[in-house]
Amino acid sequence: MNKTDNSNIHRTNKNYWDENGNDFLEAIVLPYYGCNTLTENELNLFGDVAGKKLLDIGCGNGESLKYHGNNKAAELWGIDISKNQIEKAAKCLSESGYAAKLICGAMEDECGLPTDYFDYIYSIYAIGWTTDLQGTFNRVASCLKKDGVFIFSWSHHIHMCVAFEEGKAFFKNSYFDETWSERDLDGKNILLCSRKISTYVNALAKAGFVIEQLIEETNDETLQLTGELSDWTKKSQMVPLTAIFKARKL
């Protein structure tokens, strides 16, 4: 993909987040990793963050940073492509009594982030927006301390390939298709591509990470629902909606 394409993707998606934000998406701020998934309360992927330095990639309205502030993190950093989201995050954290270093920029860019500095870098439903997955993972690795942890969640690729209608699941597109395409989100156009799980695994390995956990489970509450269910709920009982990765820098 050439630079013009990347610029168009950034412009289209930035416009969406500037205009819409993520105030309504409670399922993609910690302790939640996504819809119908296990939560941080159950997974404990971060463990004790007291005294640690954390960076949130795609920090949105700052609620996930606030979550870590409540758990006594020493430093809170956030980056987001949307100026509107950065302003919301600053307001959220300030009102909660937390100081944070917030940067408006694309995750693909250097953005003045320190190297070998963070104990944790994480991203809740934002990493999939990158136009340069390998470059982003390489930058994450450069900013983490040795043995630092990288945690991120995103839509599971199989979820994006499967549709569920009238009680039946079927493939609506190929699992191997990773091309960028227009999609509708709340009546607005966005540009996204769906990447195979192996694409994430191989990019992490190339960036110098070892994967400690990959979580695909749907939460027990959803799995145990019976009766008249929505197609969305039935689908989430059959295929994973979200993939959660925990990796450590070697």
Side-chain angles (χ1 to χ4, degrees), residues 40 44-52 54 68 71-73 119-120:
E40 174 60 14
N44 196 32
L45 298 181
F46 285 91
D48 184 7
V49 300
K52 304 299 184 181
L54 293 92
H68 286 305
N71 288 320
K72 304 187 184 310
D119 300 289
Y120 295 88

Side-chain angles (χ1 to χ4, degrees), residues 29-71:
V29 296
L30 289 170
Y32 301 101
Y33 284 100
C35 295
N36 302 92
T37 65
L38 302 176
T39 69
E40 174 60 14
N41 299 332
E42 298 161 303
L43 295 171
N44 196 32
L45 298 181
F46 285 91
D48 184 7
V49 300
K52 304 299 184 181
K53 300 171 183 175
L54 293 92
L55 168 65
D56 186 340
I57 296 177
C59 64
N61 60 14
E63 289 290 340
S64 291
L65 285 169
K66 177 184 173 181
Y67 174 86
H68 286 305
N70 292 342
N71 288 320

Side-chain angles (χ1 to χ4, degrees), residues 68-131:
H68 286 305
N70 292 342
N71 288 320
K72 304 187 184 310
E75 289 189 25
L76 303 174
W77 292 60
I79 182 171
D80 200 285
I81 197 171
S82 165
K83 181 181 178 182
N84 188 17
Q85 293 293 84
I86 288 293
E87 290 173 350
K88 288 181 179 180
K91 184 174 185 292
C92 167
L93 293 164
S94 176
E95 289 178 348
S96 301
Y98 299 123
K101 298 180 181 179
L102 302 175
I103 300 167
C104 186
M107 66 181 80
E108 298 90 339
D109 299 336
E110 184 177 354
C111 295
L113 292 168
T115 58
D116 302 311
Y117 188 78
F118 296 100
D119 300 289
Y120 295 88
I121 297 179
Y122 68 94
S123 177
I124 311 301
Y125 260 72
I127 212 73
W129 296 90
T130 183
T131 58

Side-chain angles (χ1 to χ4, degrees), residues 139-157:
R139 191 166 304 287
V140 168
S142 72
C143 293
L144 278 170
K145 298 176 180 177
K146 185 179 184 303
D147 293 323
V149 172
F150 179 33
I151 297 168
F152 68 92
S153 66
W154 185 249
S155 293
H156 200 294
H157 191 25

Side-chain angles (χ1 to χ4, degrees), residues 12-13 16-17 129 181-185 188-192:
T12 300
N13 293 338
Y16 170 80
W17 289 108
W129 296 90
S181 61
E182 281 192 5
R183 303 182 192 181
D184 178 83
L185 186 59
K188 302 285 186 178
N189 281 338
I190 59 171
L191 289 166
L192 283 176

